[in-house]
Amino acid sequence: MNLEPILAETLDAATKGYPLSSPALPISAIAAQRWSLFAGDLPLPLAVIRDSALAHNHAWMRDFTASTGVLLAPHGKTTMAPQIFSQQLAAGAWGITVANVQQLGICVRFGVRRVIMANQLLGRAEVGAVIRLQAAHPDLEFHFLIDSQAQLAAIESVAASQPQSRKLTALVELGLPGGRTGARTFDEAIAVARSVTASRAVALAGLECYEGLQITGDSGRDEIVVAGLMQRVHDVALACDREGLFAGPSIILTAGGSAAFDIVARDLPMKLSQPVLTILRSGCYVTHDSGFYNRMLEGVKARSGATWQSRPGLQPALEVWSRVQSCPEAGLAILTMGKRDASFDLEMPIASKRYRPGIDTVPQPAPASWKIASMNDQHAYLRFSVDADAAPQVGDLVGCGISHPCTTFDKWRALFTVDDGYRVTGAIRTFF
Amino acid sequence: MNLEPILAETLDAATKGYPLSSPALPISAIAAQRWSLFAGDLPLPLAVIRDSALAHNHAWMRDFTASTGVLLAPHGKTTMAPQIFSQQLAAGAWGITVANVQQLGICVRFGVRRVIMANQLLGRAEVGAVIRLQAAHPDLEFHFLIDSQAQLAAIESVAASQPQSRKLTALVELGLPGGRTGARTFDEAIAVARSVTASRAVALAGLECYEGLQITGDSGRDEIVVAGLMQRVHDVALACDREGLFAGPSIILTAGGSAAFDIVARDLPMKLSQPVLTILRSGCYVTHDSGFYNRMLEGVKARSGATWQSRPGLQPALEVWSRVQSCPEAGLAILTMGKRDASFDLEMPIASKRYRPGIDTVPQPAPASWKIASMNDQHAYLRFSVDADAAPQVGDLVGCGISHPCTTFDKWRALFTVDDGYRVTGAIRTFF
């Protein structure tokens, strides 16, 4: 990858989180500033990524996928940060997954050359852009999802009007009744696969499904649901293989969010007449979280045997820090952080650390009673037990873990990385 | 204001919504491209602002505030778009409201010179930045909120370490029990006001409160709550005025979100010993919405007499368009739009328009049964009645109104403005 354009990009205080009175700096020069969260160098709220946790998570997932023999194309929509994509590829990832063609464009621009779009391709602008990217980059391997003949017809209609350097390549998506996208039945999936194989514009590269929306944390139930879905993939894959529908020379089978990737890694691999690439697409593992995915990790570890139970699991790397701006009544503190700054779609941020300027030298664990009860656009409501002796004070810094990294990353154009002393070590640019 | 730096800024397909295969262009050159949503020039999802509705809303609020005699400092946090701030000032706004010092910095950078920060000022980086901005811009009038002596002490501690070109100026915030920030009682408010007046670093410019979190749409109840809060402002203002606590030469009284600004405009004005500036801070009016604020507008109109009831009200100017990517089972269509693209914090987007490429020449009203039931990060679930004859089809474009503009603006680094035929007329840059 080529991250030079990002490292050369200049940030200034127009970007949320950048020191208000510092001059504009290229991203490559930020680490040398040694800005300190606790010295008050940085405005709040501030989203930070802890370097040590990020490095730990890269290594953890590298080892996990290596131990299971599956490939990884981490979902890039989580971070939309080419700097993190580069780390993921350096840690052994096969490619990057994206959600739409704009995200594909970001990958290609910075040098990713294997991309899965875990979504249906459609639209004159989008199909045309993919055709042009394939022509401009002969080394680009790109696969998108298809789940209907209507979609195929729409793609063919655009493709007919412009020269293709090579065929587009698609993965037939299998879906679940009551679920999201994807062919609901064996017959529908086979019918779409046959149509793709017959297409002049598109070739069949493999099959895809997504189990993540079904995961509840009830491990017994989750295993049954995921195993059932993987079995459906096997059934369709065998039938397609027997019919010679796959274009080859290898066949992609891909599934896997961040909640039950271990079951996918165990149950998705299979043998077919051509080499099978079994690809996980987990995205959230990279920063992990302090909420939903942290709970789901317990199931992953419990299902993965003694080695993975004894080894430290994924660590929450993403935190949003804010300040107590008001303690207006008993049991309530208001923080300078809101719906613009931290995820709130699955649950509220989790108050986990406190730093009292002038008193603390290192962050302290937040008292157990501290809970973010709700957020407005720019405020959070921290509730706490009035019986406890650790009431927040105006001016305190509060560090929150988040639940669901995707919806925190998209609120920041740049996130600072920090060392364990919360000094800034760099900036990660996002492209939303 | 000076918008030249924005108009000269180059956008390209790294920005969500920008045409994928178009070369980079300065914002000033975008209108001439005449990109058409319905011709398929633009990738989806796409947030657009309808020029005609935006202009209507500017005129409506200009006339409303003029008719009531109050001033307007619209909350800039809604859009964080200096181009829209400039339109608001051109339409007669007194100044701009912001939520934090980063947002103040954006205002100052592009030439706004009257700013209210409807939030507590705190923090070494933040207080220092305000002192430096005041020194660098002698014409900058800036007021922030204060609601505790602890906050004042923290500000004084920072101010003591650096020379101030002039005093900071604060508005004492009055809050409601069970509410957000703000002094809860008369005595607390007076005590904070006295401390401010005695401060060497800060002067007392007026009083502030925010009624918006209390508004339910039950007009009788809302009138009582708001009138009661305004009465509390009057009580504290009179007492402060009698004690000579206000620094003068004028006194600011400010309140007003976008849900009941008419009651504020009616009940907040009062006479004191120095001229009173009564300032509304409504922000959402500028694009209005198709959900919460559209419902609240009914109350505003009903309370505002025959002229405002017969005149067309605020219009929803902000829409997010996406495409039907899959119709996987009866009654369900999946759209290429999700939590990254459209507000979901108050309610789901409102499917209001449909455009079928190749069939429609203008957008059609969406069938009444179409409802966005939920969203994932990058997908929306459109449910519809299978009995109706207007089922969506793969490839259809769906235009959604949104509820709560703030949480859609912050998902887009640039939003295109469009004419009534949905051709792009420009780009509005946001600074989140």
Side-chain angles (χ1 to χ4, degrees), chain B residues 71-270:
Chain B
L71 302 173
L72 180 66
H75 211 318
K77 63 136 185 182
T78 298
T79 68
M80 277 313 294
Q83 292 157 284
I84 290 182
F85 299 168
S86 175
Q87 296 166 2
Q88 291 172 315
L89 294 171
W94 172 87
I96 297 291
T97 298
V98 299
N100 57 44
V101 178
Q102 183 254 346
Q103 296 181 0
L104 164 66
I106 297 294
C107 284
V108 173
R109 176 187 293 223
F110 295 107
V112 180
R113 288 296 179 264
R114 284 203 199 106
V115 182
I116 294 171
M117 186 167 93
N119 223 337
Q120 277 64 34
L121 177 66
L122 271 172
R124 190 174 76 80
E126 290 87 343
V127 174
V130 171
I131 290 173
R132 279 186 289 275
L133 284 171
Q134 286 199 336
H137 302 280
D139 58 341
L140 174 62
E141 178 175 350
F142 171 70
H143 311 288
F144 63 86
L145 307 191
I146 190 160
D147 72 349
S148 72
Q149 280 147 320
Q151 182 197 344
L152 181 63
I155 293 170
E156 289 178 328
S157 163
V158 179
S161 68
Q162 50 192 290
Q164 281 183 262
S165 62
R166 53 199 153 118
K167 278 191 175 183
L168 302 167
T169 53
L171 311 171
V172 168
E173 180 174 26
L174 309 189
L176 288 164
R180 195 164 65 189
T181 45
R184 295 295 196 253
T185 67
F186 177 91
D187 289 345
E188 286 170 17
I190 294 291
V192 173
R194 286 176 185 151
S195 299
V196 171
T197 301
S199 169
R200 283 167 34 165
V202 188
L204 185 65
L207 303 179
E208 186 270 359
C209 69
Y210 177 53
E211 79 297 336
L213 295 168
Q214 319 299 327
I215 305 304
T216 62
D218 172 346
S219 210
R221 186 199 155 285
D222 292 344
E223 288 221 52
I224 292 168
V225 170
V226 178
L229 184 56
M230 299 303 119
Q231 186 57 52
R232 288 189 51 217
V233 175
H234 287 196
D235 294 344
V236 175
L238 277 172
C240 289
D241 196 34
R242 284 196 195 112
E243 278 195 42
L245 300 181
F246 292 119
S250 55
I251 298 165
I252 289 175
L253 300 180
T254 175
S258 295
F261 51 85
D262 58 303
I263 313 177
V264 174
R266 186 189 70 198
D267 289 354
L268 182 57
M270 69 182 301

